């Protein structure tokens, strides 16, 4: 018995309990008269089934079991155990069980449908003081079995990707997402209005158990759409019914009422309308469309915006055409939509005839017995003043005799006009009349009058060859001609016409009269213009005509032929300075007319100096080419300049100019300095100076005064001496002083550089002529 209690004691973990059991057992067994007391539950232990796992919603393979023992660790039977699911869902069966002889009570546990941890507690139903025990289990996700629309379609916009994107989730049989699934899921239309189509990526591999369809779209608006999702081996999912609404308005087009015709000023039979659609063609309601007349006049009602109805149609109430015949246009504008503006055309046609009026002049002149020049005609119009064709009009002579053709009614043409073929006046002089009648029309009859009178003389008019131009001295290209016409504009043949040059010189051939031909035309053989460029005139006269005809022609300058001096020749100027008048040449044609645009090159030929410009100068409108300046050489004397233009007679032209000395600026010794002579006698070379301008050119007429400075002596003359053409003034003589030794003479001209100049000379002793005692006389 002790052995049988040992194991429970170990489980209860105490030696004292074992001892108590022994004592109790002993007490129970002593005397053999008294039976053992029924065991009392002292503890509740996990026996088995803890820590299992299985697919969510499935039965655990092992039963949950607990063991009830008394204080000695012996099993206690007959104890009611209450089972409770604490978390994770699921069901335990039965909810209460009773321990058997081994103290064990068992129950089965079906896991909850949601994957995750599950817990179940087992406690003694009649004794809450003994702590219950807890079983743990894990509900695992099962195999992929079912598809579910986790993000299903709502109200979608036609032609646009579903928003949010459609998602299909792969679940096990009890609704847990199979995150390991990578199955291919295909979405298709389950139900749809006729014509609806699903587009975009319709087969997507699941990722983490979710298949996301980013670009599914349906192109046709409608209600009652459903989608199905399928994958191999899984239960197919069907979405809730949803609607597809039209997308934003994207395009507008004519619906009805284009290309009609109606009487001008009246409304067309079918009021124009447009239809507004989204990008995939579904009609869109509530869009504002503005109709406006853009051509032909007329009116549209309403004049403002019209809103599209449920069918996407916007229609005007009426479109009344303009009163003029022809094309009318109406536009329907919906800003931002493709196809906007939509243009409707309609043709305004003629209404019934209402009025008649003259189309040609109603009064004219004519010759008795002759046909009038202007054929009478009338125009028939409707109430809007549009011409009406096919109306019969009768023309009849009402006064003066004469005849009209045709005598039968004349039908108006497409322009509403009816015209007679001819109206021949009666033979008497005076007013005659014709009436055009169309019954029932306002303005009928229309009356035409003609004043029959004797014809005026013919007129002579320019026919050809007027306002020409040609090189002066040459013939014009088109010989002038005139036409002689009678009062009706008919050419008159056989008249003598004389052509005479009246301005500009020149000649005409022939100089005798020219007779008009059958067409009334007379033409000269040639007209040669005068040699001077400018206006030329020629007059044509005829004794039988009431007027003259005048021709004008312009003689133009010919090619450049000759060149000559125009101005600036034979001048003089200070050497080194520009001449006063810049040289210029005149270029003319063979008749002496100035020629513009001819290049002339000016160049210094002799004497040095310079000309500006050095490049060619073009002749101006007067045929003149002129340099800017000609500066002479700094050396006084002759200078020449040439003007050259290749190929012209007279080229090159030579200009001459004389460079004269400038004002005196400096003085220098010319001769007679540093001589020697016998004292009291004249030097051999009379002293002279040279006076020049700033360029070294000699200056004449400048006064220089010579005067003895030292050594005595005399100079002649003592008055000022004027420079000669070489710029030199010279004294007549310089006589040295009587004392041997140095002598000086000055030459002075006020204001000149170098003035005064000094000449030197040495007075020498002459030949012995006398002797006198020098010393030693009268001694003792």
């Amino acid at each position: 018995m002790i052995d049988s209690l040992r194991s429970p004691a170990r489980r209860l973990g105490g030696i004292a309990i074992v001892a108590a059991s022994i004592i109790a057992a002993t007490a129970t067994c002593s005397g053999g008269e008294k039976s053992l007391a029924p065991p009392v539950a002292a503890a509740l232990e996990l026996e088995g089934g803890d820590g299992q796992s299985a697919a969510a919603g499935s039965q655990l393979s092992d039963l949950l079991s607990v063991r009830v023992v008394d204080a000695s660790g012996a099993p206690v039977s007959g104890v009611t155990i209450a089972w409770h699911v604490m978390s994770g869902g699921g069901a335990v069966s039965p909810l209460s069980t009773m321990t058997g002889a081994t103290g064990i009570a068992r129950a089965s546990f079906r896991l909850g449908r949601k994957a995750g941890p599950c817990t179940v507690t087992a406690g003694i139903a009649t004794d809450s003081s003994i702590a219950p025990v807890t079983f743990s289990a894990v509900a695992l996700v099962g195999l992929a079995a079912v598809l579910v629309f986790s993000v299903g379609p709502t109200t979608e916009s036609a032609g646009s990707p579903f928003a949010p994107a459609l998602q299909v989730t792969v679940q096990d049989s009890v609704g847990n997402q199979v995150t390991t699934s990578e199955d291919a899921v295909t979405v298709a239309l389950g139900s749809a209005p006729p014509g609806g189509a699903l587009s975009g990526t319709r087969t997507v591999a699941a990722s983490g158990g979710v298949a996301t369809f980013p670009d599914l779209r349906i192109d046709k608006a409608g209600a009652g759409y459903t989608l199905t999702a399928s994958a191999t081996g899984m239960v197919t999912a069907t979405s809730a019914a949803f609607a597809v609404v039209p997308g934003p308005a994207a395009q507008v087009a004519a619906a009805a009422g284009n290309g009609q015709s109606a009487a001008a000023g009246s409304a067309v039979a079918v009021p124009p309308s447009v239809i507004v659609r989204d990008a995939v063609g579904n009609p869109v309601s509530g869009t504002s469309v503005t109709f406006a007349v853009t051509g032909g006049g007329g009116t549209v009602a309403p004049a403002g915006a019209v809103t599209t109805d449920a069918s996407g149609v916007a229609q005007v109430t009426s479109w009344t055409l303009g009163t003029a015949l022809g094309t009318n246009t109406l536009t329907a504008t919906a800003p931002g939509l493709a196809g906007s503006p939509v243009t409707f055309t309609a043709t305004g046609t003629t209404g019934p005839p209402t009025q008649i009026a003259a189309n040609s002049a109603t009064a004219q002149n004519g010759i008795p017995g002759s046909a009038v020049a202007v054929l009478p005609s009338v125009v028939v119009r409707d109430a809007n003043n549009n011409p009406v064709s096919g109306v019969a009009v009768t023309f009849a002579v009402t006064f003066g005799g004469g005849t009209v053709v045709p005598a039968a009614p004349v039908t108006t043409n497409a322009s509403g006009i009816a015209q007679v073929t001819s109206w021949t006046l009666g033979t008497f002089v005076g007013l005659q009349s014709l009436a055009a009648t169309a019954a029932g029309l306002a303005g009928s009859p229309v009356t035409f009058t003609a004043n029959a009178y004797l014809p005026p003389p013919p007129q002579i008019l320019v026919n050809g060859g007027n306002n020409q131009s040609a090189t002066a001295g040459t013939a014009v290209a088109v010989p002038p001609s005139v036409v002689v016409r009678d009062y009706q504009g008919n050419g008159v043949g056989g008249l003598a016409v004389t052509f005479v040059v009246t301005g500009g010189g020149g000649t005409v051939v022939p100089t005798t009269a020219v007779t008009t031909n059958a067409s009334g035309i007379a033409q000269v053989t040639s007209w040669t213009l005068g040699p001077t460029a400018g206006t030329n005139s020629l007059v044509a006269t005829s004794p039988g005509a009431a007027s003259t005809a005048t021709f004008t022609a312009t003689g133009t300058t010919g090619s450049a032929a000759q060149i000559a001096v125009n101005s600036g020749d034979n001048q003089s100027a200070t050497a080194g300075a520009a001449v006063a008048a810049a040289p210029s040449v005149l270029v003319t044609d063979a008749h002496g007319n100035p020629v513009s645009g001819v290049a002339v090159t000016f160049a210094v030929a002799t004497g040095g100096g310079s000309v500006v410009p050095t490049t060619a100068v073009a002749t101006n409108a007067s045929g003149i080419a002129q340099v800017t300046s000609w500066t002479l050489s700094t050396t006084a004397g002759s200078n020449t300049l040439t003007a050259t233009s290749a190929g012209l007679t007279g080229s090159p032209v030579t200009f001459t100019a004389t460079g004269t000395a400038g004002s005196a600026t400096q003085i220098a010794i010319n001769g007679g300095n540093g001589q020697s002579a016998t004292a009291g006698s004249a030097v051999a070379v009379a002293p002279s100076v040279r006076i020049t301008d700033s360029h070294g050119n000699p200056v004449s007429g400048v006064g220089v005064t010579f005067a003895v400075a030292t050594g005595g002596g005399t100079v002649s003359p003592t008055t000022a001496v004027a420079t000669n053409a070489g710029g030199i003034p010279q004294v007549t003589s310089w006589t040295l002083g009587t004392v041997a030794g140095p002598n000086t003479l000055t030459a002075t001209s006020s204001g000149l550089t170098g003035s005064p100049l000094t000449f030197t000379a040495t007075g020498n002793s002459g030949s012995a002529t006398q002797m006198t005692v020098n010393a030693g006389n009268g001694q003792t």
Side-chain angles (χ1 to χ4, degrees):
M1 181 175 182
I2 292 172
D3 289 339
S4 66
L5 294 173
R6 188 169 295 157
S7 177
R10 284 197 299 272
R11 284 195 299 273
L12 294 174
I15 297 174
I17 297 174
V18 172
S21 299
I22 295 171
I23 294 170
T26 303
T28 303
C29 295
S30 64
E33 300 175 355
K34 191 175 182 180
S35 63
L36 291 172
V40 177
L44 183 64
E45 300 175 338
L46 285 169
E47 177 65 21
D50 186 32
Q52 298 180 74
S53 62
S58 65
Q59 187 85 32
L60 289 177
S61 60
D62 294 335
L63 295 176
L64 306 181
S65 61
V66 295
R67 183 182 182 87
V68 179
V69 297
D70 60 12
S72 64
V76 179
S77 65
V79 177
T80 301
I81 301 301
W83 301 84
H84 298 282
V85 176
M86 301 304 292
S87 65
V92 65
S93 178
L95 295 177
S96 65
T97 57
M98 188 173 289
T99 59
T102 60
I104 295 173
R106 294 180 174 85
S108 64
F109 181 39
R110 181 176 293 280
L111 297 175
R113 299 172 67 86
K114 184 176 181 181
C118 300
T119 58
V120 176
T121 62
I124 298 173
T126 58
D127 189 353
S128 61
S129 64
I130 297 176
V133 294
T134 300
F135 294 86
S136 296
V138 176
L140 302 176
V141 176
L143 298 175
V146 177
L147 297 177
V148 175
F149 283 94
S150 50
V151 178
T154 57
T155 300
E156 305 296 344
S157 179
S160 298
F162 286 10
L166 188 76
Q167 288 187 343
V168 177
T169 301
V170 180
Q171 296 181 347
D172 59 14
S173 61
V174 292
N176 293 295
Q177 181 176 329
V178 183
T179 58
T180 59
S181 172
E182 294 184 359
D183 291 281
V185 178
T186 300
V187 173
L189 278 177
S191 62
L198 179 69
S199 62
T201 305
R202 287 173 285 180
T203 299
V204 175
S207 175
V210 177
T212 301
F213 297 82
D215 58 355
L216 290 179
R217 67 192 73 201
I218 294 176
D219 60 354
K220 182 177 180 181
Y225 281 97
T226 62
L227 299 178
T228 61
S230 61
T232 303
M234 298 185 203
V235 176
T236 299
T238 300
S239 72
F242 63 97
V244 175
V245 298
Q251 51 190 328
V252 63
N258 190 27
Q260 301 181 75
S261 62
S266 65
V268 293
V270 179
S273 63
V274 295
I275 184 167
V276 175
R277 296 184 173 90
D278 62 13
V280 290
N282 295 295
V284 180
S285 64
T287 302
S288 180
V289 180
T290 301
F291 290 83
V293 172
T294 54
T299 58
V300 63
V306 180
T307 302
T308 55
D309 59 18
S311 300
V313 174
Q315 184 176 45
V316 297
T317 305
S318 65
W319 178 21
T320 301
L321 304 185
T323 57
L325 298 180
T327 301
N328 290 249
T329 56
L330 175 75
T331 58
T333 304
L337 302 191
S340 176
V342 176
T343 300
F344 295 85
T345 61
T347 303
T349 59
T350 304
T354 60
Q355 53 190 319
I356 186 172
N359 179 64
S360 62
T362 57
Q364 57 182 313
N365 296 318
I367 302 298
S370 299
V372 294
V374 179
L375 297 177
S377 65
V378 293
V379 60
V380 176
R381 295 186 172 92
D382 62 13
N384 293 314
N385 214 34
N386 297 305
V388 182
S389 63
V391 178
V393 179
T394 301
F395 292 84
V397 174
T398 55
F399 184 76
T403 57
V404 64
V405 176
V410 180
T411 302
T412 55
N413 61 15
S415 300
I417 296 172
Q419 185 179 50
V420 299
T421 305
S422 67
W423 176 24
T424 302
L425 301 181
T427 57
F428 74 91
V429 174
L431 196 65
Q432 304 190 36
S433 62
L434 176 75
T437 305
L441 301 188
S444 176
V446 177
T447 299
F448 298 87
T449 62
N451 184 25
Y453 66 98
L454 295 178
Q459 299 285 322
I460 185 168
L461 306 169
V462 170
N463 179 64
N466 192 24
N467 294 321
Q468 299 182 76
S469 63
T471 303
T474 66
V476 294
V478 178
S481 64
V482 295
V483 59
V484 180
R485 300 186 186 279
D486 62 17
Y487 77 103
Q488 292 178 320
N490 301 309
V492 179
L495 289 183
V497 178
T498 302
F499 293 83
V500 177
V501 173
T502 56
T507 57
V508 64
V509 175
T511 57
T512 56
V514 180
T515 302
T516 59
N517 61 18
S519 299
I521 295 173
Q523 184 176 41
V524 298
T525 304
S526 66
W527 178 21
T528 301
L529 304 183
T532 302
T535 301
N536 290 250
S537 59
L538 178 72
V539 173
T541 60
S542 177
S547 62
T548 61
T550 300
F551 297 84
T552 60
T554 302
T556 59
T557 302
S559 301
Q562 50 197 357
I563 186 172
V565 170
N566 180 63
S567 64
D569 192 23
N570 293 321
Q571 299 182 75
S572 65
T574 303
V579 293
S584 65
V585 294
L586 174 64
V587 176
T588 58
D589 62 10
H591 296 292
N593 298 300
V595 182
S596 64
V598 179
V600 179
T601 301
F602 292 83
V604 172
T606 63
S610 60
V611 65
V612 176
T614 57
T615 56
V617 180
T619 55
N620 60 17
S622 300
I624 294 173
Q626 184 175 40
V627 298
T628 305
S629 65
W630 178 22
T631 301
L632 303 183
S633 168
T634 57
T635 301
S638 177
N639 291 253
T640 59
L641 176 74
T642 60
T644 303
S645 186
L648 302 189
T649 301
S651 176
V653 175
T654 300
F655 295 84
T656 60
T658 301
T660 59
S663 301
T665 60
Q666 49 198 351
I667 186 172
I669 291 174
N670 181 63
N673 189 26
Q675 300 180 75
S676 62
T678 301
S681 66
V683 294
V685 178
S688 64
V689 295
R690 189 170 187 269
I691 293 178
T692 59
D693 59 15
S694 59
H695 297 296
N697 296 303
V699 181
S700 64
V702 179
V704 180
T705 302
F706 293 85
V708 173
T710 62
T714 59
V715 65
S716 178
T718 57
T719 57
V721 181
T723 57
N724 60 16
I728 298 173
Q730 186 174 39
V731 297
T732 305
S733 65
W734 177 21
T735 300
L736 304 183
T738 57
V739 179
N743 290 254
T744 59
L745 177 71
T746 60
T748 303
S749 184
S750 179
L752 302 187
T753 300
S755 175
L757 295 173
T758 300
F759 294 84
T760 62
T762 302
N764 298 323
S765 299
S767 301
T769 60
Q770 53 189 340
M771 184 175 65
T772 60
V773 171
N774 179 55
N777 185 29
Q779 300 181 72
T780 58

